[in-house]
Protein backbone atom coordinates (compact mmCIF):
# COMPACT_ATOMS: atom_id res chain seq x y z
CA UNK A 1 0.00 0.00 0.00
CA UNK A 2 1.43 3.40 -1.00
CA UNK A 3 2.04 5.99 1.71
CA UNK A 4 -0.77 8.25 0.54
CA UNK A 5 -3.26 5.36 0.76
CA UNK A 6 -2.33 4.26 4.27
CA UNK A 7 -5.26 4.45 6.74
CA UNK A 8 -5.46 7.59 8.84
CA UNK A 9 -5.81 7.85 12.59
CA UNK A 10 -6.82 10.82 14.73
CA UNK A 11 -5.28 11.63 18.10
CA UNK A 12 -8.28 11.63 20.43
CA UNK A 13 -6.81 14.39 22.61
CA UNK A 14 -5.46 17.03 20.22
CA UNK A 15 -7.09 16.00 16.89
CA UNK A 16 -3.81 15.62 14.97
CA UNK A 17 -4.10 13.28 11.98
CA UNK A 18 -1.51 10.60 11.18
CA UNK A 19 -0.98 7.91 8.58
CA UNK A 20 -1.13 4.54 10.31
CA UNK A 21 1.50 1.96 9.47
CA UNK A 22 2.80 -1.30 10.88
CA UNK A 23 4.99 -1.19 13.97
CA UNK A 24 7.84 -3.48 14.86
CA UNK A 25 7.86 -5.51 18.11
CA UNK A 26 8.32 -3.25 21.13
CA UNK A 27 7.29 -0.06 19.34
CA UNK A 28 4.63 2.43 20.38
CA UNK A 29 3.54 5.36 18.22
CA UNK A 30 3.03 8.62 20.09
CA UNK A 31 1.46 11.89 19.02
CA UNK A 32 4.19 14.43 18.25
CA UNK A 33 1.93 17.24 19.40
CA UNK A 34 0.50 16.14 22.77
CA UNK A 35 2.45 12.96 23.51
CA UNK A 36 -0.60 10.67 23.72
CA UNK A 37 -0.26 7.02 22.64
CA UNK A 38 -1.72 6.59 19.16
CA UNK A 39 -1.31 2.85 18.64
CA UNK A 40 0.85 0.02 19.92
CA UNK A 41 2.43 -3.07 18.46
CA UNK A 42 0.62 -6.28 19.34
CA UNK A 43 1.89 -9.74 18.55
CA UNK A 44 -1.47 -11.36 19.35
CA UNK A 45 -3.62 -12.62 16.50
CA UNK A 46 -7.41 -12.59 16.46
CA UNK A 47 -7.38 -16.27 17.41
CA UNK A 48 -5.19 -15.45 20.42
CA UNK A 49 -7.60 -12.73 21.53
CA UNK A 50 -10.52 -15.13 21.11
CA UNK A 51 -8.80 -17.69 23.35
CA UNK A 52 -8.20 -15.01 25.99
CA UNK A 53 -11.85 -13.93 25.88
CA UNK A 54 -13.09 -17.53 26.25
CA UNK A 55 -10.73 -18.06 29.19
CA UNK A 56 -11.92 -14.83 30.80
CA UNK A 57 -15.56 -15.91 30.50
CA UNK A 58 -14.81 -19.27 32.16
CA UNK A 59 -12.88 -17.56 34.98
CA UNK A 60 -15.72 -15.05 35.33
CA UNK A 61 -18.12 -17.93 35.98
CA UNK A 62 -15.83 -19.44 38.62
CA UNK A 63 -15.26 -16.07 40.30
CA UNK A 64 -18.99 -15.51 40.74
CA UNK A 65 -19.92 -19.11 41.58
CA UNK A 66 -17.59 -19.40 44.56
CA UNK A 67 -17.27 -17.19 47.67
CA UNK A 68 -14.53 -14.57 47.71
CA UNK A 69 -14.15 -14.82 51.50
CA UNK A 70 -15.65 -16.41 54.60
CA UNK A 71 -16.01 -15.12 58.15
CA UNK A 72 -16.32 -17.16 61.35
CA UNK A 73 -17.81 -15.80 64.61
CA UNK A 74 -18.56 -18.00 67.66
CA UNK A 75 -18.84 -21.14 65.56
CA UNK A 76 -21.01 -19.51 62.89
CA UNK A 77 -19.58 -19.22 59.39
CA UNK A 78 -20.72 -16.77 56.72
CA UNK A 79 -19.49 -17.02 53.14
CA UNK A 80 -20.01 -14.34 50.52
CA UNK A 81 -19.66 -14.03 46.77
CA UNK A 82 -20.21 -10.87 44.75
CA UNK A 83 -23.77 -11.95 43.95
CA UNK A 84 -24.41 -12.63 47.65
CA UNK A 85 -23.25 -9.13 48.51
CA UNK A 86 -25.48 -7.57 45.84
CA UNK A 87 -28.48 -9.67 46.95
CA UNK A 88 -28.08 -8.86 50.66
CA UNK A 89 -27.68 -5.14 49.93
CA UNK A 90 -30.90 -5.25 47.90
CA UNK A 91 -32.69 -7.14 50.68
CA UNK A 92 -31.62 -4.48 53.17
CA UNK A 93 -33.41 -1.87 51.07
CA UNK A 94 -30.36 -0.13 49.59
CA UNK A 95 -31.47 -0.50 45.99
CA UNK A 96 -29.33 2.27 44.48
CA UNK A 97 -26.12 0.79 45.90
CA UNK A 98 -27.16 -2.72 44.87
CA UNK A 99 -27.93 -1.68 41.29
CA UNK A 100 -24.70 0.31 40.90
CA UNK A 101 -22.46 -2.47 42.18
CA UNK A 102 -24.42 -5.17 40.37
CA UNK A 103 -23.96 -3.39 37.06
CA UNK A 104 -20.33 -2.38 37.52
CA UNK A 105 -19.12 -5.64 39.04
CA UNK A 106 -21.25 -8.28 37.32
CA UNK A 107 -23.71 -7.38 34.55
CA UNK A 108 -21.60 -4.99 32.47
CA UNK A 109 -18.35 -7.05 32.59
CA UNK A 110 -20.38 -10.12 31.55
CA UNK A 111 -21.94 -8.18 28.69
CA UNK A 112 -18.51 -6.86 27.66
CA UNK A 113 -17.10 -10.40 27.44
CA UNK A 114 -20.17 -11.53 25.51
CA UNK A 115 -19.75 -8.74 22.95
CA UNK A 116 -16.04 -9.53 22.55
CA UNK A 117 -16.79 -13.21 21.93
CA UNK A 118 -19.56 -12.25 19.50
CA UNK A 119 -17.17 -10.28 17.29
CA UNK A 120 -13.88 -12.14 17.80
CA UNK A 121 -15.28 -15.50 16.70
CA UNK A 122 -16.25 -14.44 13.16
CA UNK A 123 -13.30 -12.04 12.79
CA UNK A 124 -10.85 -14.85 13.59
CA UNK A 125 -12.41 -16.70 10.61
CA UNK A 126 -12.16 -13.57 8.41
CA UNK A 127 -15.92 -12.98 8.44
CA UNK A 128 -17.79 -9.84 9.45
CA UNK A 129 -19.77 -10.47 12.66
CA UNK A 130 -23.53 -10.01 12.51
CA UNK A 131 -24.44 -6.59 13.86
CA UNK A 132 -20.77 -5.56 13.97
CA UNK A 133 -21.54 -1.83 13.87
CA UNK A 134 -23.98 -1.98 16.77
CA UNK A 135 -21.74 -4.30 18.78
CA UNK A 136 -18.84 -1.86 18.53
CA UNK A 137 -21.02 1.02 19.70
CA UNK A 138 -22.16 -1.07 22.66
CA UNK A 139 -18.59 -2.07 23.53
CA UNK A 140 -17.52 1.57 23.54
CA UNK A 141 -20.29 2.39 26.00
CA UNK A 142 -19.49 -0.57 28.29
CA UNK A 143 -15.72 -0.31 28.69
CA UNK A 144 -15.48 2.62 31.18
CA UNK A 145 -18.08 1.11 33.53
CA UNK A 146 -16.68 -2.40 34.05
CA UNK A 147 -15.03 -2.32 37.50
CA UNK A 148 -13.81 -5.84 38.29
CA UNK A 149 -10.32 -4.60 39.38
CA UNK A 150 -11.97 -2.15 41.80
CA UNK A 151 -14.06 -4.97 43.26
CA UNK A 152 -10.94 -7.11 43.73
CA UNK A 153 -9.27 -4.34 45.73
CA UNK A 154 -12.52 -3.91 47.67
CA UNK A 155 -12.39 -7.57 48.74
CA UNK A 156 -8.86 -7.12 50.09
CA UNK A 157 -9.85 -4.01 52.04
CA UNK A 158 -12.95 -5.73 53.47
CA UNK A 159 -10.91 -8.74 54.60
CA UNK A 160 -8.42 -6.49 56.40
CA UNK A 161 -11.22 -4.53 58.08
CA UNK A 162 -12.91 -7.66 59.41
CA UNK A 163 -9.70 -9.46 60.38
CA UNK A 164 -9.61 -7.60 63.71
CA UNK A 165 -13.12 -8.75 64.66
CA UNK A 166 -13.21 -12.39 63.61
CA UNK A 167 -11.48 -15.11 61.65
CA UNK A 168 -11.62 -14.20 57.98
CA UNK A 169 -10.21 -16.35 55.19
CA UNK A 170 -10.08 -15.84 51.41
CA UNK A 171 -12.09 -18.09 49.12
CA UNK A 172 -11.71 -19.59 45.66
CA UNK A 173 -13.61 -16.66 44.21
CA UNK A 174 -10.92 -14.22 45.33
CA UNK A 175 -8.20 -16.06 43.40
CA UNK A 176 -10.49 -16.28 40.37
CA UNK A 177 -11.15 -12.53 40.52
CA UNK A 178 -7.40 -11.93 40.62
CA UNK A 179 -6.92 -13.96 37.44
CA UNK A 180 -9.97 -12.30 35.87
CA UNK A 181 -8.53 -8.86 36.58
CA UNK A 182 -5.35 -9.76 34.68
CA UNK A 183 -7.33 -11.15 31.72
CA UNK A 184 -9.69 -8.16 31.57
CA UNK A 185 -6.74 -5.78 31.73
CA UNK A 186 -5.26 -7.52 28.70
CA UNK A 187 -8.60 -7.54 26.88
CA UNK A 188 -8.93 -3.84 27.70
CA UNK A 189 -6.51 -3.23 24.83
CA UNK A 190 -9.32 -4.28 22.47
CA UNK A 191 -11.05 -0.95 22.16
CA UNK A 192 -13.65 -0.55 19.38
CA UNK A 193 -11.06 1.34 17.30
CA UNK A 194 -8.57 -1.51 17.62
CA UNK A 195 -11.20 -4.08 16.63
CA UNK A 196 -12.11 -2.01 13.58
CA UNK A 197 -8.41 -2.02 12.62
CA UNK A 198 -8.31 -5.80 13.00
CA UNK A 199 -11.41 -5.98 10.77
CA UNK A 200 -9.58 -3.86 8.19
CA UNK A 201 -6.54 -6.13 8.36
CA UNK A 202 -8.61 -9.22 7.47
CA UNK A 203 -10.49 -7.33 4.72
CA UNK A 204 -13.98 -7.63 6.20
CA UNK A 205 -14.56 -3.85 6.31
CA UNK A 206 -13.42 -1.25 3.77
CA UNK A 207 -10.53 1.14 4.29
CA UNK A 208 -11.56 4.70 3.46
CA UNK A 209 -8.79 7.30 3.07
CA UNK A 210 -10.23 10.82 2.73
CA UNK A 211 -8.53 13.49 0.69
CA UNK A 212 -7.27 16.51 2.62
CA UNK A 213 -7.73 19.94 1.10
CA UNK A 214 -8.27 23.61 1.85
CA UNK A 215 -12.07 23.25 1.87
CA UNK A 216 -12.30 20.34 4.32
CA UNK A 217 -11.23 19.42 7.83
CA UNK A 218 -10.40 15.89 8.94
CA UNK A 219 -11.92 14.32 12.03
CA UNK A 220 -12.26 10.82 13.43
CA UNK A 221 -15.45 8.88 14.20
CA UNK A 222 -15.72 8.25 17.95
CA UNK A 223 -17.17 4.76 17.30
CA UNK A 224 -14.95 3.20 14.62
CA UNK A 225 -12.07 5.69 14.43
CA UNK A 226 -12.58 6.26 10.70
CA UNK A 227 -11.05 9.60 9.70
CA UNK A 228 -13.23 11.51 7.28
CA UNK A 229 -13.43 14.89 5.59
CA UNK A 230 -16.05 17.42 6.67
CA UNK A 231 -16.76 20.81 5.06
CA UNK A 232 -14.49 23.43 6.61
CA UNK A 233 -17.23 26.06 6.73
CA UNK A 234 -19.74 23.74 8.46
CA UNK A 235 -20.85 24.28 12.05
CA UNK A 236 -18.31 22.41 14.27
CA UNK A 237 -21.24 20.97 16.26
CA UNK A 238 -23.37 19.99 13.26
CA UNK A 239 -24.51 16.37 12.79
CA UNK A 240 -22.75 14.27 10.18
CA UNK A 241 -22.71 10.52 9.65
CA UNK A 242 -19.67 8.29 9.50
CA UNK A 243 -18.94 7.05 5.98
CA UNK A 244 -18.19 3.58 7.36
CA UNK A 245 -20.35 2.79 10.41
CA UNK A 246 -23.06 5.50 9.96
CA UNK A 247 -22.65 6.73 13.55
CA UNK A 248 -23.35 10.41 14.21
CA UNK A 249 -20.09 12.35 13.88
CA UNK A 250 -19.42 15.79 15.33
CA UNK A 251 -16.28 17.67 14.40
CA UNK A 252 -16.32 18.69 18.08
CA UNK A 253 -18.58 17.63 20.96
CA UNK A 254 -21.63 19.93 21.11
CA UNK A 255 -22.12 22.17 24.17
CA UNK A 256 -19.26 20.42 25.92
CA UNK A 257 -18.63 23.23 28.44
CA UNK A 258 -22.26 23.49 29.52
CA UNK A 259 -22.64 19.72 29.84
CA UNK A 260 -19.40 19.28 31.76
CA UNK A 261 -20.15 22.15 34.15
CA UNK A 262 -23.67 20.80 34.82
CA UNK A 263 -22.39 17.29 35.61
CA UNK A 264 -19.49 18.61 37.66
CA UNK A 265 -21.67 20.91 39.78
CA UNK A 266 -24.09 18.03 40.38
CA UNK A 267 -21.13 15.92 41.54
CA UNK A 268 -20.03 18.67 43.94
CA UNK A 269 -23.54 18.77 45.43
CA UNK A 270 -23.54 14.98 46.02
CA UNK A 271 -19.95 15.07 47.31
CA UNK A 272 -21.10 16.81 50.50
CA UNK A 273 -23.55 14.12 51.72
CA UNK A 274 -21.15 11.44 50.47
CA UNK A 275 -18.61 12.61 53.05
CA UNK A 276 -20.95 13.78 55.81
CA UNK A 277 -23.47 10.92 55.89
CA UNK A 278 -22.41 7.42 57.00
CA UNK A 279 -21.47 5.00 54.25
CA UNK A 280 -21.87 2.05 56.62
CA UNK A 281 -24.03 1.20 59.64
CA UNK A 282 -22.96 -1.48 62.12
CA UNK A 283 -25.39 -3.18 64.52
CA UNK A 284 -23.98 -5.59 67.14
CA UNK A 285 -24.43 -6.72 70.73
CA UNK A 286 -22.26 -3.79 71.79
CA UNK A 287 -24.61 -1.28 70.19
CA UNK A 288 -25.11 0.55 66.92
CA UNK A 289 -22.57 2.74 65.16
CA UNK A 290 -22.25 4.64 61.88
CA UNK A 291 -19.08 5.15 59.87
CA UNK A 292 -18.21 7.83 57.35
CA UNK A 293 -15.49 7.49 54.71
CA UNK A 294 -12.88 9.34 56.76
CA UNK A 295 -13.97 7.43 59.85
CA UNK A 296 -13.20 4.18 58.06
CA UNK A 297 -9.73 5.43 57.10
CA UNK A 298 -9.00 6.41 60.71
CA UNK A 299 -10.24 3.03 61.94
CA UNK A 300 -7.92 1.16 59.57
CA UNK A 301 -5.01 3.33 60.65
CA UNK A 302 -5.70 2.66 64.34
CA UNK A 303 -5.84 -1.08 63.61
CA UNK A 304 -2.26 -0.84 62.34
CA UNK A 305 -3.22 -1.37 58.67
CA UNK A 306 -1.68 1.92 57.58
CA UNK A 307 -1.03 0.64 54.05
CA UNK A 308 -4.69 -0.30 53.48
CA UNK A 309 -5.76 2.96 55.16
CA UNK A 310 -3.57 4.84 52.68
CA UNK A 311 -5.10 2.98 49.72
CA UNK A 312 -8.65 3.72 50.91
CA UNK A 313 -7.77 7.37 51.58
CA UNK A 314 -6.31 7.78 48.09
CA UNK A 315 -9.17 5.96 46.31
CA UNK A 316 -12.08 7.37 48.34
CA UNK A 317 -10.90 10.84 49.40
CA UNK A 318 -7.96 12.03 47.33
CA UNK A 319 -9.09 10.67 43.96
CA UNK A 320 -12.64 12.17 43.94
CA UNK A 321 -11.32 15.52 45.14
CA UNK A 322 -8.50 15.44 42.57
CA UNK A 323 -10.98 14.67 39.77
CA UNK A 324 -13.21 17.57 40.78
CA UNK A 325 -10.33 20.06 41.03
CA UNK A 326 -8.70 18.84 37.80
CA UNK A 327 -11.92 19.12 35.80
CA UNK A 328 -12.60 22.59 37.19
CA UNK A 329 -9.07 23.65 36.16
CA UNK A 330 -9.53 22.21 32.65
CA UNK A 331 -12.88 23.96 32.25
CA UNK A 332 -11.59 27.32 33.44
CA UNK A 333 -8.49 27.27 31.22
CA UNK A 334 -10.73 26.36 28.27
CA UNK A 335 -13.09 29.27 29.02
CA UNK A 336 -10.14 31.64 29.44
CA UNK A 337 -8.99 30.46 26.00
CA UNK A 338 -5.57 29.65 27.39
CA UNK A 339 -3.02 27.91 25.15
CA UNK A 340 -0.32 27.54 27.83
CA UNK A 341 0.78 24.17 29.18
CA UNK A 342 -1.41 22.23 26.76
CA UNK A 343 0.80 19.16 27.08
CA UNK A 344 0.51 19.20 30.88
CA UNK A 345 -3.25 19.73 30.67
CA UNK A 346 -3.51 16.76 28.32
CA UNK A 347 -1.67 14.55 30.81
CA UNK A 348 -3.95 15.88 33.56
CA UNK A 349 -7.02 14.90 31.54
CA UNK A 350 -5.57 11.45 30.84
CA UNK A 351 -5.05 11.01 34.60
CA UNK A 352 -8.67 11.97 35.28
CA UNK A 353 -9.83 9.38 32.75
CA UNK A 354 -7.59 6.69 34.26
CA UNK A 355 -8.54 7.17 37.92
CA UNK A 356 -12.24 7.65 37.23
CA UNK A 357 -13.62 4.30 38.36
CA UNK A 358 -11.34 3.69 41.36
CA UNK A 359 -13.41 5.92 43.62
CA UNK A 360 -16.05 3.17 43.65
CA UNK A 361 -13.80 1.23 46.05
CA UNK A 362 -15.64 2.16 49.26
CA UNK A 363 -19.01 1.21 47.80
CA UNK A 364 -17.76 -2.31 46.99
CA UNK A 365 -16.18 -2.57 50.45
CA UNK A 366 -19.49 -1.75 52.12
CA UNK A 367 -21.54 -4.39 50.29
CA UNK A 368 -18.91 -7.06 50.99
CA UNK A 369 -18.86 -6.20 54.68
CA UNK A 370 -22.66 -6.42 54.68
CA UNK A 371 -22.51 -9.90 53.15
CA UNK A 372 -19.76 -11.26 55.40
CA UNK A 373 -21.05 -9.84 58.68
CA UNK A 374 -24.64 -10.97 58.17
CA UNK A 375 -25.17 -12.71 61.54
CA UNK A 376 -28.76 -12.13 62.66
CA UNK A 377 -28.96 -11.00 66.28
CA UNK A 378 -25.17 -10.91 66.67
CA UNK A 379 -23.77 -8.55 64.05
CA UNK A 380 -25.16 -6.86 60.96
CA UNK A 381 -23.58 -4.34 58.60
CA UNK A 382 -25.56 -2.36 56.05
CA UNK A 383 -24.88 0.41 53.56
CA UNK A 384 -25.63 3.98 54.59
CA UNK A 385 -27.01 6.90 52.63
CA UNK A 386 -23.47 8.16 52.10
CA UNK A 387 -22.61 5.08 50.01
CA UNK A 388 -25.35 5.83 47.48
CA UNK A 389 -24.33 9.50 47.32
CA UNK A 390 -20.70 8.50 46.86
CA UNK A 391 -21.56 6.15 44.00
CA UNK A 392 -23.48 8.97 42.30
CA UNK A 393 -20.41 11.24 42.64
CA UNK A 394 -18.28 8.62 40.87
CA UNK A 395 -20.78 8.29 38.02
CA UNK A 396 -21.21 12.05 37.58
CA UNK A 397 -17.47 12.78 37.54
CA UNK A 398 -16.90 10.03 34.98
CA UNK A 399 -19.66 11.44 32.78
CA UNK A 400 -18.22 14.94 33.20
CA UNK A 401 -14.80 13.74 32.00
CA UNK A 402 -16.42 12.02 29.00
CA UNK A 403 -18.33 15.21 28.11
CA UNK A 404 -15.26 17.45 28.10
CA UNK A 405 -13.63 17.96 24.69
CA UNK A 406 -9.92 18.59 25.12
CA UNK A 407 -9.53 19.11 21.37
CA UNK A 408 -11.15 22.54 21.76
CA UNK A 409 -8.16 23.72 23.80
CA UNK A 410 -5.75 22.49 21.13
CA UNK A 411 -7.86 24.20 18.44
CA UNK A 412 -7.01 27.55 20.01
CA UNK A 413 -3.36 26.96 19.15
CA UNK A 414 -4.18 27.31 15.46
CA UNK A 415 -3.07 25.23 12.53
CA UNK A 416 0.05 23.16 13.07
CA UNK A 417 1.74 20.94 10.52
CA UNK A 418 2.82 17.64 12.04
CA UNK A 419 5.92 16.15 10.46
CA UNK A 420 6.30 12.81 12.27
CA UNK A 421 4.85 10.72 15.05
CA UNK A 422 7.54 9.63 17.53
CA UNK A 423 7.78 5.90 18.12
CA UNK A 424 8.89 4.67 21.53
CA UNK A 425 10.85 1.46 21.75
CA UNK A 426 12.91 0.83 18.65
CA UNK A 427 12.47 4.38 17.27
CA UNK A 428 11.26 3.46 13.81
CA UNK A 429 10.00 6.38 11.68
CA UNK A 430 6.28 7.14 11.62
CA UNK A 431 4.52 8.98 8.82
CA UNK A 432 1.93 11.63 9.44
CA UNK A 433 -0.73 13.64 7.68
CA UNK A 434 -1.15 17.33 8.28
CA UNK A 435 -3.34 18.38 11.21
CA UNK A 436 -6.56 20.01 10.15
CA UNK A 437 -7.68 22.63 12.67
CA UNK A 438 -11.03 24.33 12.58
Amino acid sequence: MTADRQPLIECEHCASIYRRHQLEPGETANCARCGAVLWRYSGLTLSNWLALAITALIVFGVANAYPVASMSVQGMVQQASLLDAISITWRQGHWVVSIMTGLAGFALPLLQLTVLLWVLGPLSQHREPAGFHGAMRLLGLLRPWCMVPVFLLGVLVAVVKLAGMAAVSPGIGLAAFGILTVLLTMLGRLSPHVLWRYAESVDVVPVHVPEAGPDVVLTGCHVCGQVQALPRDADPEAHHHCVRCDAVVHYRKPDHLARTWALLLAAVVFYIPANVLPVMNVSSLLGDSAHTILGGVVELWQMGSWDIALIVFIASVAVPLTKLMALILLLLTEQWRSTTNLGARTRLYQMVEFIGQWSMLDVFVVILLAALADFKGLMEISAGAGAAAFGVVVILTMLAAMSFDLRRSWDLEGQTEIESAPVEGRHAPASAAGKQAG
Side-chain angles (χ1 to χ4, degrees):
M1 183 180 292
T2 60
D4 61 343
R5 299 309 298 168
Q6 288 176 323
L8 302 181
I9 185 172
E10 179 195 46
C11 175
E12 297 179 4
H13 293 101
C14 71
S16 298
I17 305 295
Y18 295 91
R19 298 194 186 280
R20 180 164 49 84
H21 60 273
Q22 296 295 323
L23 297 178
E24 296 297 324
E27 290 184 340
T28 300
N30 291 69
C31 178
R33 195 179 186 204
C34 71
V37 174
L38 297 171
W39 70 96
R40 304 174 185 271
Y41 170 82
S42 175
L44 296 179
T45 65
L46 284 167
S47 296
N48 296 147
W49 286 116
L50 177 60
L52 279 175
I54 293 173
T55 304
L57 185 61
I58 294 171
V59 175
F60 181 89
V62 174
N64 286 278
Y66 290 90
V68 294
S70 61
M71 177 176 174
S72 177
V73 177
Q74 296 182 1
M76 295 183 292
V77 178
Q78 181 68 36
Q79 296 181 327
S81 65
L82 171 60
L83 294 179
D84 292 331
I86 296 168
S87 175
I88 289 173
T89 304
W90 180 276
R91 199 163 60 241
Q92 291 174 343
H94 302 287
W95 304 312
V96 174
V97 176
S98 180
I99 291 172
M100 285 191 297
T101 53
L103 288 173
F106 180 80
L108 298 184
L110 177 59
L111 186 55
Q112 180 186 17
L113 287 174
T114 303
V115 172
L116 284 174
L117 288 171
W118 180 267
V119 299
L120 286 172
L123 284 179
S124 64
Q125 299 175 6
H126 295 192
R127 293 186 293 106
E128 181 176 353
F132 184 53
H133 297 187
M136 290 300 93
R137 295 189 199 186
L138 179 58
L139 182 62
L141 294 173
L142 292 174
R143 293 177 75 245
W145 306 102
C146 298
M147 304 183 186
V148 169
V150 184
F151 171 72
L152 175 65
L153 184 57
V155 175
L156 299 177
V157 173
V159 168
V160 171
K161 276 196 170 189
L162 290 174
M165 308 179 195
V168 182
S169 57
I172 296 174
L174 179 58
F177 267 110
I179 298 172
L180 181 62
T181 297
V182 174
L183 292 172
L184 289 179
T185 301
M186 295 175 67
L187 289 169
R189 293 285 184 90
L190 288 180
S191 67
H193 291 190
V194 171
L195 285 167
W196 275 98
R197 291 173 210 157
Y198 270 115
E200 289 176 353
S201 68
V202 294
D203 297 323
V204 300
V205 296
V207 177
H208 173 73
V209 181
E211 297 292 337
D215 299 327
V216 299
V217 290
L218 300 180
T219 191
C221 172
H222 71 284
V223 174
C224 70
Q226 172 66 60
V227 174
Q228 47 216 290
L230 301 180
R232 178 174 289 277
D233 56 357
D235 183 353
E237 298 181 359
H239 283 215
H240 303 275
H241 286 273
C242 178
V243 297
R244 180 165 65 179
C245 72
D246 201 40
V248 174
V249 174
H250 298 283
Y251 178 62
R252 295 294 181 261
K253 295 178 183 178
D255 300 323
H256 84 120
L257 287 177
R259 291 187 186 186
T260 308
W261 271 120
L263 290 165
L264 195 58
L265 291 175
V268 171
V269 171
F270 278 95
Y271 186 72
I272 297 172
N275 285 274
V276 174
L277 297 177
V279 295
M280 181 175 67
N281 298 307
V282 179
S283 177
S284 68
L285 296 176
L286 300 177
D288 299 338
S289 60
H291 301 261
T292 61
I293 293 174
L294 280 174
V297 173
V298 172
E299 181 181 348
L300 283 169
W301 188 277
Q302 292 174 342
M303 290 168 54
S305 302
W306 60 268
D307 48 350
I308 301 296
L310 183 61
I311 291 173
V312 175
F313 177 80
I314 293 173
S316 301
V317 180
V319 167
L321 193 57
T322 299
K323 285 193 298 183
L324 292 173
M325 299 303 295
L327 285 170
I328 289 173
L329 176 62
L330 289 170
L331 285 166
L332 290 177
T333 51
E334 165 79 17
Q335 289 187 304
W336 294 335
R337 302 181 67 79
S338 171
T339 58
T340 59
N341 299 319
L342 283 174
R345 283 153 58 185
T346 300
R347 291 189 291 274
L348 180 64
Y349 179 72
Q350 290 173 320
M351 180 201 69
V352 170
E353 286 188 309
F354 175 75
I355 66 177
Q357 61 178 235
W358 288 97
S359 300
M360 193 66 82
L361 173 64
D362 248 339
V363 183
F364 279 118
V365 170
V366 169
I367 68 166
L368 280 164
L369 292 175
L372 286 170
D374 188 29
F375 298 100
K376 302 296 183 183
L378 181 63
M379 176 188 294
E380 287 186 69
I381 296 178
S382 62
F390 197 80
V392 173
V393 171
V394 176
I395 293 171
L396 290 173
T397 51
M398 290 178 67
L399 289 173
M402 294 175 193
S403 299
F404 184 72
D405 196 341
L406 188 63
R407 296 173 299 178
R408 299 271 192 171
S409 297
W410 285 98
D411 288 345
L412 298 173
E413 207 183 39
Q415 293 186 356
T416 303
E417 198 70 20
I418 305 299
E419 296 179 355
S420 63
V423 176
E424 293 183 351
R426 296 178 56 183
H427 305 289
S431 56
K435 172 185 173 290
Q436 302 292 323

